Amino acid sequence: SSCWKGKASMAEGIFKEMISMGITPNEKTFIHLMNAYANINDLDATFHQFVEMMKYGINPTQISYKTALNASL
């Protein structure tokens, strides 16, 4: 729905602002982003965030794997 797309867009904007301010994201940050993209069935964006999380040196946990997998259902 367009409501979820708006929330995903808002989450992405907040994430970018956070990064520009020098705030380092953690696993919860990425899980929330992945959830936002999963809710609009954007599998590519969900998995992109999963990969980005690992680029930040954050090892996936059971929760982040589950979040990524939920996007494909």
Side-chain angles (χ1 to χ4, degrees), residues 8-21 33:
S9 179
M10 187 184 324
E12 184 178 345
I14 292 168
F15 178 77
K16 288 179 180 178
E17 184 177 332
M18 186 177 125
I19 298 301
S20 72
M21 294 173 64
L33 279 171

Side-chain angles (χ1 to χ4, degrees), residues 2-70:
S2 61
C3 177
W4 281 111
K5 287 182 182 178
K7 289 182 180 186
S9 179
M10 187 184 324
E12 184 178 345
I14 292 168
F15 178 77
K16 288 179 180 178
E17 184 177 332
M18 186 177 125
I19 298 301
S20 72
M21 294 173 64
I23 300 169
T24 304
N26 59 23
E27 183 192 20
K28 286 184 181 184
T29 306
F30 284 103
I31 286 172
H32 286 293
L33 279 171
M34 288 189 288
N35 269 323
Y37 290 121
N39 283 324
I40 59 170
N41 299 319
D42 190 338
L43 188 59
D44 290 337
T46 303
F47 283 101
H48 173 76
Q49 292 305 323
F50 189 82
V51 171
E52 286 296 307
M53 178 180 72
M54 291 187 286
K55 287 181 182 176
Y56 274 89
I58 302 167
N59 293 322
T61 64
Q62 185 177 10
I63 295 170
S64 50
Y65 276 114
K66 181 181 179 227
T67 303
L69 287 173
N70 281 340

